[in-house]
């Protein structure tokens, strides 16, 4: 647990010891993600409103708005990918975030997106047995809210552990290197036990952000989308910083101090 805390603290310290620098580094991605959310909120408000209602009570959203929502969703996903690349490169290149070398070229960016897709498929395959086990367990325990909550938390931790074991391919891709998923699994083997504790810490962060999202007052669907997008950015940035820390420590031999 001590090593997990050290890794977690290091990842957070990189983000928050100089907030202005962090904002400067991820600003292009931040504008991309929040811009996509704003466009969706303005041009596809009816579709967003329909998604926020019970399915049986919602009228079918206009087709053109649905297409706009899909396009904005894809743009937002690409914005998250850009955020990850920028942060990986900022830290691993030891730059101040102002140099052109931090910004990825189109070829590197799309290579990163491709690796992320491959990784997502690999994680889906690896996590399938976990999901099946949790589904069977929930059937055995019935519909008790407490049991379902615990099962959900356990599943979240297990999925995060799998992601931590496999995802070193992403900072590698951000640096222009090709790492196989199996190589990430092997590289994280020395910290396999530590990563369980780290997954718990990340799950706590995700849960807290989920609680914040849940207690936000009902607002205009477009504004709510922007608020949720900001929370997802924070959640994603914490995970990305954790991957950067692990890559630097395990692959590049950097100290945590």
């Amino acid at each position: 647990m001590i090593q997990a805390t050290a890794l977690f603290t290091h990842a957070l310290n990189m983000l928050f010891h100089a907030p202005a620098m962090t904002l400067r580094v991820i600003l292009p991605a931040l504008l991309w993600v929040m811009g996509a959310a704003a466009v969706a909120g303005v041009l596809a408000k009816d579709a967003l409103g329909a998604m926020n209602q019970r399915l049986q009570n919602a009228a079918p959203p206009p087709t053109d708005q649905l297409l706009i929502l899909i396009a904005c969703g894809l743009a937002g996903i690409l914005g998250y990918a850009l955020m990850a690349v920028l942060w990986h490169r900022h830290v691993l290149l030891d730059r101040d975030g102002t140099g052109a070398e931090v910004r990825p070229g189109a070829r590197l960016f799309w290579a990163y997106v491709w690796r992320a897709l491959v990784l997502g498929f690999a994680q889906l395959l690896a996590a399938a047995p976990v999901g099946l086990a949790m589904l069977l367990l929930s059937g055995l325990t019935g519909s008790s809210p407490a049991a379902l909550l615990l099962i959900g938390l356990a599943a979240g931790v297990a999925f995060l552990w799998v992601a931590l074991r496999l995802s070193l391919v992403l900072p590698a891709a951000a640096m222009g290197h090709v790492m196989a998923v199996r190589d990430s699994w092997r590289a994280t083997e020395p910290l396999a036990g530590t990563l369980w504790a780290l997954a718990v810490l990340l799950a706590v962060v995700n849960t807290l952000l989920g609680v914040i999202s849940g207690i936000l007052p009902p607002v205009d669907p477009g504004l709510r989308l922007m608020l949720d997008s900001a929370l997802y950015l924070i959640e994603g940035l914490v995970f990305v910083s954790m991957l950067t820390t692990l890559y630097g420590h395990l692959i590049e031999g950097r100290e945590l101090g």
Side-chain angles (χ1 to χ4, degrees):
M1 188 65 184
I2 294 176
Q3 191 172 18
T5 303
L7 287 164
F8 189 68
T9 302
H10 186 271
L12 291 183
N13 186 56
M14 286 194 302
L15 289 174
F16 298 118
H17 83 283
M21 176 58 69
T22 298
L23 182 61
R24 177 194 258 173
V25 171
I26 68 167
L27 186 59
L30 180 65
L31 294 176
W32 193 338
V33 172
M34 299 309 292
V39 170
V42 173
L43 300 182
K45 185 175 294 187
D46 292 338
L48 283 172
M51 291 176 61
N52 290 335
Q53 298 176 31
R54 293 180 179 272
L55 186 60
Q56 61 268 28
N57 296 331
T63 302
D64 58 340
Q65 290 195 18
L66 193 58
L67 292 175
I68 291 172
L69 198 58
I70 293 172
C72 289
L74 292 174
I77 291 171
L78 293 176
Y80 279 99
L82 178 61
M83 176 196 71
V85 174
L86 289 171
W87 188 253
H88 289 319
R89 292 179 65 78
H90 163 65
V91 174
L92 297 173
L93 290 173
D94 296 313
R95 298 295 189 264
D96 62 3
T98 60
E101 64 274 12
V102 173
R103 296 190 291 273
R107 184 175 180 179
L108 187 146
F109 175 74
W110 289 111
Y112 182 93
V113 171
W114 170 248
R115 295 303 296 170
L117 291 173
V118 172
L119 175 65
F121 181 70
Q123 288 180 343
L124 182 64
L125 292 178
V130 177
L132 180 60
M134 295 301 172
L135 184 62
L136 293 173
L137 186 58
S138 64
L140 292 174
T141 57
S143 57
S144 166
L148 292 177
L149 177 62
L150 290 175
I151 291 170
L153 289 173
V157 170
F159 292 148
L160 281 168
W161 182 80
V162 170
L164 289 169
R165 292 295 308 271
L166 301 180
S167 296
L168 292 190
V169 300
L170 295 181
M175 298 300 290
H177 308 313
V178 177
M179 175 185 284
V181 173
R182 64 177 177 275
D183 292 333
S184 176
W185 184 267
R186 291 169 183 163
T188 54
E189 181 63 32
L191 294 181
T194 298
L195 293 185
W196 280 109
L198 195 56
V200 170
L201 293 173
L202 289 171
V204 169
V205 171
N206 295 348
T207 300
L208 289 175
L209 291 173
V211 170
I212 293 173
S213 177
I215 64 176
L216 289 174
V219 292
D220 174 84
L223 181 57
R224 181 56 189 258
L225 178 61
M226 294 189 69
L227 291 173
D228 284 340
S229 296
L231 291 175
Y232 292 144
L233 272 170
I234 295 172
E235 181 180 319
L237 193 54
V238 170
F239 185 75
V240 165
S241 191
M242 193 66 258
L243 292 183
T244 309
T245 297
L246 287 172
Y247 185 87
H249 182 58
L250 294 172
I251 305 301
E252 297 186 344
R254 302 190 185 201
E255 298 294 330
L256 295 177

